[in-house]
Amino acid sequence: MAQTVPAGKDLPQISLESSEQTISGGHLVAKALRNEGVDAIFTLCGGHIIDIYDGCIDEGIKVIDVRHEQVAAHAADGYSRMTGKMGCAVVTAGPGTTNSVTGVANAFRAESPMLLIGGQSALSQHMMGGLQNLAHVDMLKPITKFATSVPTTERIADFIAMAAREAHNGAFGPAYLEIPRDVLDLKVDLRKAVVPKAGAYRASTRSIGDPADIEKLADIIVHAEKPCILLGQQVWTCRAAEIARAFVEKLNVPAYMNGAGRGTLPPGHPLHFQLTRRDAFAEADVTIVVGTPFDFRLRYGKSLKSKTVVQIDMSYATIGRNRDISLGIAGDVGAVLEAVLHATSGRSDNGSRSRNEWVASLRAKEEAAVQARLPKLRSDATPIHPYRLAYEIDQFLTDNTIFIGDGGDVVTFAGNVVQPKAPGLWMDPGPLGTLGVGTGFAMAAKLTQPKREVVALFGDGSFAMTGFDLQTAMRFGLPYIAIVGNNMYMNQIRCGQIQKYGKERGEVGNYLGEVNFEKFADMLGIYGEAVREPGQIRPALERARAAGTCAVINVWLDPDAYAPGTENQTMYK
Ligand SMILES: Cc1ncc(C[n+]2csc(CCOP(=O)(O)OP(=O)(O)O)c2C)c(N)n1
Ligand SMILES: [Mg+2]
């Protein structure tokens, strides 16, 4: 349970008896990050922040310098998701901070506990019109759980510890610390610096909520005739996949997964369902929603039709938002499921056998839906149908491949088809729907999981937003395969525009042109290839895998094929 044990517990403690009597702010930042177990920062340099790099050298923290701060923030978000630790982006004042805002905002909606450290002009020149001076804290406040300026050098490490607590309070989320240049550069007496001890300044987050409610839920589930469960991203955040699996297996509950919860059950598992979610939600008598809010993805809760709706979430504030519930339990979703499972084990009959028929009826519907769709997935049409690309990717992924989806329509297709084979192998932006996350996510995924393969699917729109930082991944030896689903348009938007304004007026502001992204690979000296024939997708992917470097596979797609989810445009309703 990476995030439940205060990070850095096993790290060597800072000796206050150090022979060096003074320490600068940047070195205190590095020590505090080390105490959080952070072993890499993502950054783009600026005069306001360079002392942090100097501290990182001493603490053995890798400095990964990117080409755009948005990528640094997405990478820090990705680092948090992958490791359960507090990913950290360090950016300079003014434009460095504003460039990273999108990454922080994405982490905010995705409940990712990253830390953004930003420069600020010297306090001695406060409000005098200093270079790159802006009201950063005001800007970051609405998109973080905690945002403040660090007032003194002595308390820098203390504020980082505080930021860590706030980021992990309830549902996780990002924190921001602004450090003015003179506060960062100043050398202070080491004995006067407040440096909370690693492992000693954070509580466990594994709350089970009210024990009486655990019993109530045990009663509900034991007596349910047609239950279903939705396993959301907090199942991954709480590293609860194993217990979630035990829960559904022991109680015989069909499971649907979304976001980072995908992969909790492997494809082919008898209780793994995907295409019949609407049927299950319509027919179930009990629906348990674990670690995902009633947001647009669940039509603000309207998708759930069962008489009994139970919500389990890390955040008290999320439970019961947008729709009434029968029971809500705030806590660590793994600890809660474990406690409920334990409570059911004492019952003479947990009802699991009585649910066989229900599971079988859903399985029959699921199978029918899979079979009905299969011809589309195997389509030999040219230009290539996006379903075929998604199908080929699904076949290509190994049990050890992290899959990242960053794009519009092409990723909507993939979301319906690509099935991660294990927990932690699926990354998407989350409910902010940010295009451009993939490059930073891929970098962070490969850095933190070097033994895993990383495959990222981009739209041609999204790839170009942050794709230049592929060069950074290359520079740091972090290879991944970038697949560009190239339909020449911002298709997810174009689809709705055409529906609304007709073909002629509907193509304004969404045409991207024919871009040979494989030539970008040439420019970087990495593997690149263009694919126009469906039968060539797999061989091209295999060649990219064999190359072992970063690779760009530019797959030309039919621009007039839209995902069902895009045609219905439910995400805007
Ligand atoms: C940063 C950002 N800008 C704009 C949008 C709105 N948007 C959603 S999907 C989409 C089209 C994306 O095009 P592309 O990446 O080529 O994928 P396609 O839909 O063509 O498959 C846009 C612009 C967004 N989600 N994020
Ligand atoms: Mg596109």
Side-chain angles (χ1 to χ4, degrees):
M1 300 285 162
Q3 81 293 353
T4 56
V5 178
K9 209 168 190 169
D10 302 328
L11 292 169
Q13 301 298 307
I14 295 164
S15 166
L16 295 186
E17 311 302 322
S18 167
S19 56
E20 214 175 287
Q21 289 303 298
T22 61
I23 184 164
S24 72
H27 287 249
L28 282 166
V29 168
K31 281 189 186 300
L33 290 178
R34 199 80 187 122
N35 281 352
E36 273 294 311
V38 172
D39 58 7
I41 59 165
F42 302 94
T43 186
L44 196 154
C45 62
H48 296 81
I49 52 172
I50 49 177
D51 197 54
I52 296 176
Y53 301 168
D54 200 55
C56 285
I57 294 170
D58 281 356
E59 296 298 326
I61 296 174
K62 207 167 185 172
V63 176
I64 299 194
D65 52 313
V66 299
R67 290 175 170 272
H68 193 291
E69 289 88 351
Q70 181 182 347
V71 175
H74 289 318
D77 173 354
Y79 180 101
S80 295
R81 297 182 194 207
M82 281 288 128
T83 62
K85 295 188 286 190
M86 197 168 63
C88 181
V90 176
V91 298
T92 197
T97 301
T98 56
N99 270 355
S100 59
V101 161
T102 298
V104 177
N106 191 70
F108 185 62
R109 286 294 303 275
E111 303 179 350
S112 182
M114 61 164 284
L115 172 67
L116 180 73
I117 298 179
Q120 175 61 295
S121 42
L123 274 183
S124 59
Q125 292 153 7
H126 191 49
M127 310 281 276
M128 288 172 67
L131 176 70
Q132 297 169 227
N133 176 240
L134 277 177
H136 307 120
V137 173
D138 292 339
M139 293 189 305
L140 269 301
K141 267 226 157 100
I143 54 166
T144 52
K145 286 173 72 77
F146 181 69
T148 194
S149 192
V150 179
T152 67
T153 310
E154 287 86 350
R155 293 195 57 205
I156 283 178
D158 189 29
F159 270 82
I160 289 178
M162 204 181 294
R165 282 190 295 271
E166 298 282 355
H168 294 91
N169 180 15
F172 299 165
Y176 169 67
L177 289 177
E178 169 193 89
I179 311 184
R181 197 180 52 72
D182 47 2
V183 172
L184 189 74
D185 285 350
L186 188 70
K187 286 191 169 179
V188 295
D189 185 336
L190 182 56
R191 284 161 307 181
K192 291 199 179 132
V194 182
V195 184
K197 200 166 133 192
Y201 56 84
R202 285 228 256 135
S204 161
T205 57
R206 299 205 76 211
S207 153
I208 61 158
D210 183 342
D213 287 340
I214 298 293
E215 290 297 327
K216 265 191 215 159
L217 179 49
D219 273 339
I220 289 171
I221 192 72
V222 160
H223 294 114
E225 289 170 8
K226 297 196 286 180
C228 69
I229 192 166
L230 176 62
L231 301 168
Q233 64 142 70
Q234 289 179 2
V235 174
W236 171 245
T237 307
C238 296
R239 299 303 187 264
E242 215 175 300
I243 186 65
R245 184 171 173 163
F247 184 93
V248 301
E249 285 175 354
K250 293 231 165 75
L251 293 161
N252 200 17
V253 180
Y256 296 81
M257 289 151 270
N258 79 3
R262 300 177 63 141
T264 302
L265 301 183
H269 187 284
L271 293 163
H272 175 301
F273 291 87
Q274 187 175 14
L275 302 180
T276 46
R277 199 172 90 162
R278 192 179 296 188
D279 301 286
F281 285 170
E283 293 169 37
D285 59 349
V286 174
T287 305
I288 305 174
V289 177
V290 185
T292 188
F294 300 143
D295 63 15
F296 66 97
R297 293 169 293 184
L298 291 177
R299 294 180 52 245
Y300 307 100
K302 289 194 199 76
S303 298
L304 311 174
K305 313 277 190 213
S306 56
K307 190 161 159 276
T308 304
V309 172
V310 178
Q311 193 177 13
I312 304 171
D313 202 279
M314 295 164 78
S315 168
Y316 185 88
T318 295
I319 293 176
R321 191 169 74 191
N322 300 336
R323 68 152 290 148
D324 292 353
I325 48 165
S326 317
L327 176 66
I329 302 179
D332 176 280
V333 301
V336 171
L337 289 176
E338 194 173 6
V340 175
L341 186 59
H342 183 70
T344 62
S345 68
R347 315 289 162 112
S348 55
D349 176 11
N350 72 8
S352 85
R353 244 174 307 135
S354 69
R355 296 189 270 272
N356 282 343
E357 214 174 294
W358 160 240
V359 175
S361 77
L362 279 178
R363 178 58 61 203
K365 285 187 184 143
E366 181 87 17
E367 260 320 297
V370 167
Q371 290 306 325
R373 205 182 56 175
L374 208 51
K376 288 189 200 160
L377 266 54
R378 292 184 175 152
S379 161
D380 277 328
T382 46
I384 296 169
H385 195 283
Y387 260 141
R388 176 69 187 261
L389 174 61
Y391 176 71
E392 294 291 342
I393 292 172
D394 187 46
Q395 301 288 307
F396 177 70
L397 300 186
T398 70
D399 292 355
N400 201 27
T401 309
I402 298 170
F403 175 77
I404 296 163
D406 174 12
D409 198 50
V410 67
V411 169
T412 305
F413 272 112
N416 292 326
V417 177
V418 176
Q419 299 190 335
K421 317 287 185 262
L425 298 183
W426 177 274
M427 294 179 93
D428 63 28
L432 198 66
T434 313
L435 299 176
V437 295
T439 308
F441 279 8
M443 194 184 291
K446 192 66 193 174
L447 176 79
T448 55
Q449 311 276 331
K451 295 212 173 98
R452 293 203 145 140
E453 179 182 60
V454 179
V455 171
L457 171 64
F458 296 89
D460 51 326
S462 63
F463 181 72
M465 286 184 179
T466 53
F468 212 103
D469 263 301
L470 183 56
Q471 193 266 346
T472 305
M474 202 191 84
R475 197 159 24 101
F476 281 91
L478 303 171
Y480 64 93
I481 300 172
I483 304 166
V484 183
N486 192 345
N487 51 26
M488 301 175 292
Y489 288 93
M490 299 281 197
N491 236 13
Q492 193 148 62
I493 306 306
R494 173 173 167 251
C495 175
Q497 267 178 275
I498 291 174
Q499 279 175 3
K500 193 169 175 191
Y501 300 102
K503 179 94 175 144
E504 211 173 296
R505 301 177 76 91
E507 292 199 343
V508 173
N510 52 44
Y511 178 59
L512 294 164
E514 293 184 36
V515 180
N516 298 312
F517 288 102
E518 71 283 0
K519 293 193 177 159
F520 175 56
D522 282 351
M523 190 186 102
L524 299 181
I526 59 175
Y527 189 76
E529 191 173 339
V531 177
R532 289 186 185 272
E533 297 295 326
Q536 282 305 309
I537 298 171
R538 183 63 187 258
L541 292 176
E542 294 293 352
R543 285 188 284 271
R545 178 174 277 162
T549 64
C550 285
V552 180
I553 305 299
N554 182 27
V555 183
W556 292 94
L557 295 176
D558 181 355
D560 294 321
Y562 304 106
T566 298
E567 283 180 316
N568 296 329
Q569 298 285 337
T570 47
M571 68 278 233
Y572 298 114
K573 287 179 184 157

